[in-house]
Amino acid sequence: MDYIEILILVLSFVFLLGLGVPIAWTLGLSGLITILVSVESISAFTTMAQQMATGLDSFTMLAIPFFILAGEVMNRGGIARRLIDFAKTLVGSMPGGLAYVNIFAAMLFGAIAGSAVAAASAIGSILGPRMEKEGYSKEFSAAVNITASTTGLIIPPSNILIIYSLASGGVSIAALFIAGYVPGLIIGLLLMGVAAFWAKRKNFAVGERSSLSEVFSTFVKAFPSLLLLIIVIGGIIAGIFTATEAAAIAVVYTLILGYYYKEVSTRDLPGILMDSVMTTSIVMLLIATSISMSWVMSYENIPQDISAALLALSDSKIVILLTINLILLFVGTFMDMTPAVLIFTPIFLPIVTELGIDPVHFGIMMVLNLCIGLCTPPVGTLLFVGVGVAGTTIEKVIKPLLPLFLAMIVALMLITFFPELTLWLPRMFGF
């Protein structure tokens, strides 16, 4: 095994990251430095630029900006508030009810918007003050909001699952979407279990039980938002439209919904479009540089070398899966999900496929791993968003975050070693 290319790649990446270079530029530059070792400079620069351009030339990739735009419209369209009201009538009367409401609403909103950051911002800004008013600490509220928001990346529609489909060479997006439901529910239930224990220990307030008429009323108000799930996911599963077409339909539907709720006006559209363009440009630059770096790794045979080393480590499926999980958990602490999926899917997918693991199962496992990284320093996006929305500090949030973090680790282990939890639903639909 030749370690030179791996060493150059890793050292240049760590060095640039340590200097504070943005992750997208770090990925592109470290890939370029590595390829310059074996290729002439003009050819190296040309090839890297070509790989970045061709990597984005994909019809499926169009789903990402559309879903981002749909998420921005939802964030301003009053959808979060209606979902919170509906969730509160269902679970608000339980011990620690508002924590349940936070988790349940985050699952619903994340499933509709497909964005963990949007869920953390929207749900946290509305529920945070309510929870504080009823005796919950800012830190506990922030911890619940941070971890619950990750469910939106597992429960479809999810941009990161679309990216995994591209990185894996064409794993069915519909199968990945269906596979995300049960793991997403498992995470939500485990987080609710921790919230219930914490609520009883701290003696948090219990809300009033809602009547059936109140449940029905809030459901009717939230139903148009929930209908988007049926339209988007149902249309993809039924083969009526592709993921990209579904994303475009989601944009049109959310705009209609925003006008119907009178929460979005024509004057809001320039701001919504500008925010969407800014987010899309960041994501697309990350994707482009990640694809170029992935090509460099493939050119230098780095994935094959790592695969050989891991398979030589042990012939036990359990040991290799634990090793991959530990690597991904570590990677998730300092790398954004998008480049992590694009870089490490070509490395680990051949290994797990050789072990007889379904690519759909591995995709959900990988995304959940990286979701945990979003909740941890130093680069945990959700951690910073959740803390900022709650108006507290990372140091204060760590203590209530730890048991919720452990619940996510338990969910990861269940999903890793019990593949049927992920695969039975896609198989039921013929995938």
Side-chain angles (χ1 to χ4, degrees):
M1 179 176 176
D2 188 358
Y3 290 99
I4 299 299
E5 291 85 1
I6 297 177
L7 192 62
I8 293 170
L9 186 67
V10 171
L11 289 177
S12 60
F13 180 83
V14 172
F15 176 72
L16 291 168
L17 205 61
L19 288 177
V21 178
I23 184 70
W25 298 107
T26 297
L27 290 166
L29 289 171
S30 56
L32 179 62
I33 292 167
T34 304
I35 197 69
L36 282 170
V37 174
S38 53
V39 176
E40 290 182 358
S41 58
I42 295 177
S43 298
F45 279 98
T46 304
T47 303
M48 290 291 286
Q50 187 179 47
Q51 290 300 320
M52 289 175 67
T54 56
L56 295 178
D57 185 14
S58 167
F59 178 72
T60 304
M61 198 81 76
L62 277 174
I64 295 171
F66 279 129
F67 275 129
I68 288 172
L69 177 55
E72 285 290 339
V73 177
M74 290 178 209
N75 208 12
R76 303 194 190 190
I79 291 174
R81 181 164 46 81
R82 287 166 175 81
L83 293 176
I84 288 171
D85 290 340
F86 175 51
K88 191 172 182 180
T89 60
L90 292 179
V91 296
S93 61
M94 298 179 182
L98 282 184
Y100 282 9
V101 172
N102 195 318
I103 295 166
F104 191 43
M107 290 169 69
L108 291 175
F109 186 84
I112 295 170
S115 169
V117 171
S121 177
I123 304 297
S125 60
I126 296 171
L127 265 181
R130 291 192 195 180
M131 293 179 76
E132 190 177 355
K133 188 177 179 180
E134 294 196 17
Y136 296 79
S137 67
K138 283 183 179 181
E139 291 71 33
F140 176 72
S141 302
V144 170
N145 186 39
I146 290 163
T147 50
S149 298
T150 61
T151 57
L153 298 172
I154 303 291
I155 301 174
S158 168
N159 284 338
I160 199 66
L161 290 177
I162 295 172
I163 291 169
Y164 171 78
S165 173
L166 292 168
S168 64
V171 174
S172 168
I173 294 175
L176 287 166
F177 277 7
I178 301 170
Y181 280 111
V182 174
L185 289 172
I186 289 171
I187 297 165
L189 290 171
L190 288 172
L191 291 177
M192 286 181 180
V194 173
F197 173 79
W198 195 273
K200 287 184 178 179
R201 183 180 174 185
K202 298 291 183 179
N203 198 28
F204 288 140
V206 178
E208 295 181 5
R209 186 178 296 276
S210 300
S211 65
L212 286 175
S213 62
E214 288 175 323
V215 174
F216 180 74
S217 175
T218 55
F219 171 73
V220 169
K221 291 176 182 176
F223 179 73
S225 305
L226 297 171
L227 187 62
L228 180 63
L229 281 175
I230 300 171
I231 294 171
V232 171
I233 306 302
I236 293 173
I237 294 169
I240 298 172
F241 37 70
T242 64
T244 303
E245 292 163 347
I249 289 168
V251 172
V252 176
Y253 185 84
T254 51
L255 281 170
I256 293 171
L257 208 58
Y259 277 99
Y260 171 73
Y261 285 151
K262 297 181 180 179
E263 303 273 359
V264 173
S265 66
T266 305
R267 287 180 299 177
D268 297 323
L269 292 182
I272 291 171
L273 290 170
M274 182 59 70
D275 288 345
S276 300
V277 168
M278 289 176 65
T279 304
T280 300
S281 63
I282 294 168
V283 171
M284 288 304 178
L285 181 60
L286 272 171
I287 291 172
T289 53
S290 301
I291 288 172
S292 66
M293 185 179 182
S294 183
W295 179 87
V296 170
M297 292 172 69
S298 178
Y299 179 82
E300 300 290 355
N301 288 320
I302 292 174
Q304 293 86 335
D305 291 341
I306 295 174
S307 297
L310 271 177
L311 291 171
L313 179 69
S314 173
D315 57 0
S316 169
K317 182 188 291 187
I318 294 174
V319 172
I320 291 176
L321 282 176
L322 282 173
T323 304
I324 291 173
N325 274 321
L326 288 171
I327 293 171
L328 289 174
L329 285 171
F330 173 71
V331 166
T333 62
F334 65 86
M335 187 180 288
D336 190 77
M337 291 185 77
T338 299
V341 167
L342 288 167
I343 291 167
F344 288 94
T345 297
I347 294 175
F348 291 138
L349 188 58
I351 300 172
V352 298
T353 303
E354 189 169 329
L355 294 172
I357 295 168
D358 192 287
V360 172
H361 172 220
F362 178 69
I364 300 298
M365 184 188 93
M366 180 180 224
V367 170
L368 176 52
N369 254 296
L370 298 172
C371 280
I372 295 171
L374 292 176
C375 306
T376 58
V379 192
T381 310
L382 278 180
L383 181 63
F384 289 103
V385 170
V387 165
V389 169
T392 183
T393 63
I394 292 174
E395 292 78 10
K396 292 179 180 178
V397 168
I398 291 298
K399 185 178 178 180
L401 185 63
L402 283 176
L404 294 162
F405 183 80
L406 290 174
M408 294 183 74
I409 296 289
V410 171
L412 174 61
M413 292 299 102
L414 288 172
I415 289 160
T416 298
F417 296 110
F418 296 94
E420 285 304 313
L421 292 172
T422 302
L423 297 175
W424 74 270
L425 199 56
R427 286 172 180 167
M428 185 184 294
F429 283 89
F431 293 101

